[in-house]
Amino acid sequence: MNRLRPGVIATLLSGLVAVFLLMPLIAVIPVSFTSRRYLSLPDGDWSWRHYAALFEDAEWGQSLLTSVQVGLLASFLAVALAAAFCIGIWMLRPRGAGLMTGFVLLPMVAPPVVSSLTLYFFLNKMARWNDIIAYDKLGGVVLAHMVMVVPYAVVVIMVSLSQLDRRMDLAAQSMGANVPTRVFGVILPNIRFGLIGAFFLCFLLSWDEIGVTLFITSVETITLPRRMWMGLRDNVDPSIAALSVLLICVVTLLVAVRAAMLMRKERSR
Amino acid sequence: MRAFLFLICPVLLFLGVSYLLPFLGIVQLSFTDPDPGLAQYSRVLTEDLPTGVIWRTLRLCVLVTAVSVSCAYVITLLWVRGSPLVRSITELCIMIPFWISVLSRAFGWLSMLSNRGLLNTWLQDMGLIDSAIQMTRNEFAVVVGMSHYLIPFAVFPLATAMRNVDERVLTAADGMGASRLRIFWQIFLPMTSSGILGATLLVFVFSIGFYVTPALLGGGQSVLVAELIYLWIFQIPQWGMAAAMSVVLMLGVGGILYVLMRRYGEMAK
């Protein structure tokens, strides 16, 4: 059947929106090759100096390492907490399950600046007690990122649990399996793709997190976005253009590969 | 019962200690710092600086919401209803910016709009303007940057609504001789109104607590609520005021979300 396709006007307007969406991503490419120390277009002489600066400057490498550490730790812990919570809700179906889930999703819906202030307040208080989970410390950043990504992990794991056949767990239960056996032997292996998906989403979110990180770090623990922010806020540093070009290339590659895989899957059906 | 303690409680305890308690601390602070009573709230809601910032935020966020939702509507139309090739191209145009860091995107707009950026250089090379036009550090740049960030978020609820439109209704209208324009205005647009409402509220809620893009592209010239909270914490310490403003923000966003849930709850029935 020939369905109604969008007309010329809609296509034209969408084209404009598409240009609007892609334009700033393309604009960073020439800027990254400027030979000047400030934001400008290369006039004649293209230079790799800002790319070289990324690799030579130890600070960028240190921030990259910090971001990876924070991302891995926060995602792992967040997924563990979220998985336990979701499995608990799924198995026990306690009263007030909706209310508890709503509470866990709170950091996702609260305005980011309110969460930032809340975590700043918390880590500031913690700083009087200890040196690890505190303001401007690695543990503090990990904890703050955990708070921010836990709701997303809960959503992803809840979805994969909702597709799990409850009879499987009931069978295990009727054969006398105790709770740990049911969790580790039956449920966890069956939702492993949900767990992996949740881990990747959490890592990506933590990798990009800037709103909260800005409030809870100053000089010691600097994640990659935080360093980009410093370079953008003070003097617009073209190294960030070079870094942005690299990040944009990675994302474009991933999105394109995913799209190609989906198309092939559809065609093979 | 032991399963409940081991599975469900850890995350509740974690968020309770690191998120709920400090938030209550902030609420308490809003009533006590520097003077006990409602003084902070009356200052936030009557003094020129905060009320000016609140109004500017509301005005800009309404504008940003209108721009994002209309742009998103056009491109979603193509994404959902275009030919397979058009669909995959638009999908890339939506997904690539969506996964790119908010900082890279803000930097992209700086590269586009700043005095030595792409747009000014082009216009000068073509001889259309003599000296660079100031396009950053103002509300224009903030609206452009925020809309760019939020368009992909508006696409998802719109796409859901458009996919739910019954193809047969459109075919029937077409068969009865309605013009394309009439089919769009009188049938398609009303049938996707739930998606428009969802996208509008989602984008508005997102935009109102937004800090990074306005701070970078506004360059301190047009301060929004989130940036004012940041200033009150780090530059001119007025914790009570920041706390009161956060509580006001939380209540406002909570109210909007409540409306959204009610509305979607009614539609799901």
Side-chain angles (χ1 to χ4, degrees):
Chain A
M1 195 187 69
N2 195 12
R3 49 187 243 154
L4 288 170
R5 300 272 188 222
V8 183
I9 306 171
T11 312
L12 223 61
L13 286 174
S14 302
L16 286 178
V17 175
V19 169
F20 176 72
L21 285 174
L22 296 181
M23 210 51 201
L25 313 181
I26 296 165
V28 293
I29 297 172
V31 171
S32 70
F33 288 107
T34 183
S35 55
R36 309 275 166 79
R37 292 177 152 276
Y38 48 81
L39 194 160
S40 60
L41 293 181
D43 41 357
D45 49 342
W46 292 56
S47 138
W48 286 95
R49 63 180 281 192
H50 298 296
Y51 289 90
L54 281 184
F55 292 98
E56 280 158 15
D57 194 339
E59 286 185 339
W60 285 108
Q62 185 56 46
S63 292
L64 188 91
L65 193 68
T66 308
S67 267
V68 171
Q69 278 175 333
V70 169
L72 289 178
L73 273 170
S75 322
F76 181 75
L77 293 170
V79 169
L81 280 178
F85 174 76
C86 295
I87 291 170
I89 296 276
W90 187 81
M91 269 173 47
L92 307 167
R93 286 190 268 188
R95 262 186 298 163
L99 201 68
M100 284 188 263
T101 312
F103 171 64
V104 175
L105 297 186
L106 205 59
M108 189 161 78
V109 286
V113 69
V114 175
S115 302
S116 309
L117 185 58
T118 305
L119 288 164
Y120 171 67
F121 187 74
F122 175 67
L123 293 176
N124 232 357
K125 285 235 153 125
M126 291 302 282
R128 279 182 227 151
W129 293 67
N130 70 81
D131 286 340
I132 304 159
I133 298 173
Y135 177 77
D136 204 15
K137 294 289 190 300
L138 193 72
V141 182
V142 169
L143 181 128
H145 282 209
M146 273 171 74
V147 171
M148 297 310 288
V149 300
V150 145
Y152 295 91
V154 166
V155 170
V156 174
I157 297 171
M158 282 267 178
V159 169
S160 63
L161 270 175
S162 70
Q163 288 157 355
L164 183 63
D165 192 345
R166 208 171 263 284
R167 282 172 300 184
M168 223 153 26
D169 180 47
L170 287 177
Q173 196 181 1
S174 65
M175 309 232 289
N178 56 9
V179 173
T181 315
R182 281 159 66 195
V183 170
F184 288 102
V186 181
I187 299 173
L188 281 180
N190 277 298
I191 58 164
R192 60 183 182 280
F193 291 112
L195 295 176
I196 295 168
F199 182 83
F200 271 107
L201 181 66
C202 289
F203 185 80
L204 266 178
L205 289 168
S206 160
W207 173 259
D208 250 2
E209 214 298 319
I210 178 66
V212 171
T213 312
L214 213 52
F215 271 71
I216 54 159
T217 56
S218 67
V219 289
E220 262 190 66
T221 313
I222 301 176
T223 62
L224 201 62
R226 169 82 214 208
R227 188 166 296 287
M228 287 174 79
W229 167 271
M230 287 154 71
L232 277 173
R233 197 72 211 256
D234 307 337
N235 55 324
V236 181
D237 177 358
S239 303
I240 295 159
L243 181 61
S244 291
V245 170
L246 295 178
L247 292 176
I248 288 169
C249 287
V250 172
V251 169
T252 308
L253 203 70
L254 288 178
V255 172
V257 165
R258 207 186 97 89
M261 268 162 60
L262 283 179
M263 265 175 78
R264 189 187 267 183
K265 214 174 175 185
E266 236 167 66
R267 235 177 249 159
S268 66
R269 257 185 215 154
Chain B
M1 200 56 224
R2 274 177 57 199
F4 184 85
L5 284 180
F6 284 114
L7 290 171
I8 299 182
C9 279
V11 82
L12 296 180
L13 208 66
F14 171 71
L15 285 178
V17 171
S18 63
Y19 198 73
L20 188 64
L21 275 182
F23 181 71
L24 293 179
I26 283 178
V27 174
Q28 188 200 15
L29 206 64
S30 73
F31 290 108
T32 56
D33 179 81
D35 311 303
L38 289 167
Q40 287 70 244
Y41 285 93
S42 78
R43 283 181 65 195
V44 162
L45 296 172
T46 56
E47 266 184 20
D48 287 344
L49 173 70
T51 51
V53 170
I54 290 176
W55 282 118
R56 180 191 291 138
T57 308
L58 287 178
R59 186 165 50 83
L60 277 184
C61 289
V62 168
L63 194 61
V64 163
T65 308
V67 173
S68 327
V69 174
S70 23
C71 286
Y73 198 91
V74 181
I75 202 160
T76 313
L77 204 64
L78 230 64
W79 185 34
V80 174
R81 305 195 57 87
S83 62
L85 179 71
V86 170
R87 274 216 299 269
S88 35
I89 295 172
T90 30
E91 185 168 310
L92 287 182
C93 293
I94 296 165
M95 285 304 168
I96 291 172
F98 179 70
W99 286 112
I100 283 168
S101 144
V102 55
L103 288 164
S104 293
R105 288 159 77 174
F107 187 85
W109 281 112
L110 286 175
S111 316
M112 272 298 282
L113 301 175
S114 73
N115 288 355
R116 289 195 202 84
L118 218 58
L119 212 55
N120 267 317
T121 312
W122 280 351
L123 289 174
Q124 277 171 322
D125 286 350
M126 285 192 286
L128 288 174
I129 51 170
D130 295 328
S131 56
I133 311 173
Q134 175 81 24
M135 284 185 284
T136 53
R137 295 181 175 273
N138 54 25
E139 290 186 359
F140 168 75
V142 175
V143 171
V144 165
M146 283 175 76
S147 304
H148 183 259
Y149 183 79
L150 291 165
I151 286 172
F153 291 97
V155 163
F156 301 119
L158 288 172
T160 312
M162 284 187 200
R163 289 200 181 104
N164 285 336
V165 169
D166 192 340
E167 192 66 36
R168 287 168 301 180
V169 180
L170 303 180
T171 319
D174 190 39
M176 309 244 264
S179 69
R180 297 181 64 93
L181 206 63
R182 187 145 177 220
I183 295 177
F184 178 73
W185 281 111
Q186 294 198 330
I187 299 168
F188 195 73
L189 199 65
M191 281 175 87
T192 52
S193 61
S194 68
I196 299 176
L197 181 82
T200 304
L201 290 182
L202 184 77
V203 168
F204 189 73
V205 163
F206 263 44
S207 66
I208 215 152
F210 214 59
Y211 174 66
V212 173
T213 308
L216 286 175
L217 293 169
Q221 293 302 303
S222 52
V223 176
L224 301 190
V225 166
E227 199 172 357
L228 187 62
I229 292 176
Y230 185 86
L231 292 176
W232 275 341
I233 293 292
F234 294 105
Q235 314 255 292
I236 19 164
Q238 299 201 13
W239 280 54
M241 294 289 278
M245 186 64 112
S246 297
V247 173
V248 170
L249 196 63
M250 194 76 175
L251 289 177
V253 168
I256 297 171
L257 284 172
Y258 181 70
V259 172
L260 184 75
M261 303 285 231
R262 286 272 309 260
R263 185 65 210 255
Y264 267 101
E266 274 166 26
M267 274 190 274
K269 268 174 202 164

